[in-house]
Each structure stands twice: as structure tokens, then as C-alpha cells.
Amino acid sequence: ALDHADWVPKKIAVAEDGRAKAVLSAAKPNLVLFASDALASLYRLDSDAIVGRTLRLLCGPKTDLPALTLALETAREGRTQNLELWTCKPGDASDLFVHLTVFPVAEKGAITNFMVVFREDLQAGRAEPVNKPLAVLRGGLGQRSPTGSLGSVGSPYGSVGGSPRTGAPRTVPPELQGAKSSPRTVAQRGAEDEAGAGGSTRTEA
């Protein structure tokens, strides 16, 4: 049985709460099914440009992909993961150091998705090595981090509201409503992303 403290209901995962976050499929290659306005703004992209891709779109030469992969694999076991990681803005290839929290998203007792919350970290120089899961740095992979306050990056629950830009509620994508997903949104974009990652100096689509 899953510990309720370590998973997020799907309706919370896809809610616009002002945080930079993405909802991924738990099935490989972990395609992005939802991207918040705040995440799009952080990486200077449209939300539609992120949906249907993998997080490789936001990775660059300094990104530790094995650490990210390990965090997702461990989250699949039902344990929230924390990660510090170098990422990259696709538009200008500038590096961005972020703190990620990967929450398992459960439906009917099974992990179906991941909610990945991004927080820009302006203090990249630190005593602890970067690009390693914080759970590893501080006592073993899978160690639960303390639950943050309501709406914080360390908490799965934010202040649910409408779109920061329009004030209107965001439409939940069909993939997260149980409907068939658009072939262009998921299948084709995902294939392009995987193909593009192989021949580029940056690991993006």
C-alpha cells in the first residue's frame, strides 16, 4: 500500500497553482502531459512546446541525466524525490540551476504519473555536490523530505487557482482525463524528442 504522505491526487497535480511544474507519464519515456504557465515562463517557452516532449527538452551539457532518471525510477516506487540539477533554456542555451521535487501521482492505488515541481536556485555554488538526489546526499535514496508549508515546492499542495495570465481555469489535457490523447501531442512529439536527442550536442528535441 502507498503511504499517503508520498503521493499526490491527479486533480492536485494538474491544477494551476502558480508553481513551475510538469506532469509526466509514469510509463517510459515519461512524456510531459501537462506544463504549467509558470514552468513555461521559467524556460521562456509556450506550454504547448513542452507537452508531448520529455524533460530532455530542458536538459543541456551540464545536466546529470542519470541522476534525473534515478529520481524518476525511485518515484515510481511511491517515494517523493528531491534533486538539484543543472538544466538549460532551449531558446538561448543558457544554464539554469533548479531544485526539483518529484511527487508520485496515484490513481486507484497505482502510480500513473509524476508531478515535477521546479524551483530556480540562484545559489548554484554550494558545499554539497550538485546533480545528486538530495535523498542520497542526506541519508539514502528514497528518504522522505519534510513536508513543506502549503504551496511550497516541498509540498504537493499549492494554492489552486486559475491561469496566472488569464485568471481562467486551465483545461485538463485529455490524457489526464482518461480520454485518448492526441497523436500529435504525445506519440509524434515523443518520437521526435527521442530522435532529436541522439544527434545534438544538447539533450533536447
Side-chain angles (χ1 to χ4, degrees), residues 4-168:
H4 183 70
D6 262 347
W7 62 269
V8 179
K10 190 171 290 186
K11 65 180 180 180
I12 296 297
V14 300
E16 274 288 4
D17 54 17
R19 293 183 295 177
K21 65 181 183 180
V23 177
L24 319 182
S25 169
K28 292 184 178 181
N30 307 122
L31 300 179
V32 176
L33 304 179
F34 170 85
S36 70
D37 288 341
L39 180 65
S41 177
L42 181 63
Y43 285 93
R44 300 176 185 173
L45 294 169
D46 291 330
S47 296
D48 289 343
I50 304 174
V51 172
R53 307 279 185 170
T54 70
L55 290 184
R56 286 177 178 267
L57 175 68
L58 309 180
C59 296
K62 297 172 70 173
T63 304
D64 188 343
L65 285 174
L68 177 59
T69 299
L70 179 61
L72 293 177
E73 289 177 349
T74 306
R76 189 178 288 109
E77 299 174 3
R79 292 178 287 177
T80 297
Q81 295 296 295
N82 291 285
L83 181 71
E84 290 180 326
L85 198 73
W86 282 106
T87 61
C88 190
K89 297 179 181 179
D92 59 7
S94 61
D95 293 320
L96 182 67
F97 190 74
V98 295
H99 177 99
L100 302 183
T101 304
V102 183
F103 297 99
V105 178
E107 187 174 32
K108 296 180 180 179
I111 302 299
T112 58
N113 302 93
F114 303 128
M115 180 178 75
V116 184
V117 180
F118 294 67
R119 178 171 58 84
E120 183 177 6
D121 193 331
L122 300 177
Q123 299 180 3
R126 58 194 64 238
E128 290 182 319
V130 300
N131 286 347
K132 299 299 179 185
L134 293 185
V136 172
L137 295 173
R138 297 174 182 172
L141 185 62
Q143 177 177 321
R144 187 180 308 154
S145 58
T147 301
S149 59
L150 189 66
S152 72
V153 69
S155 169
Y157 303 98
S159 177
V160 179
S163 165
R165 289 192 281 220
T166 66

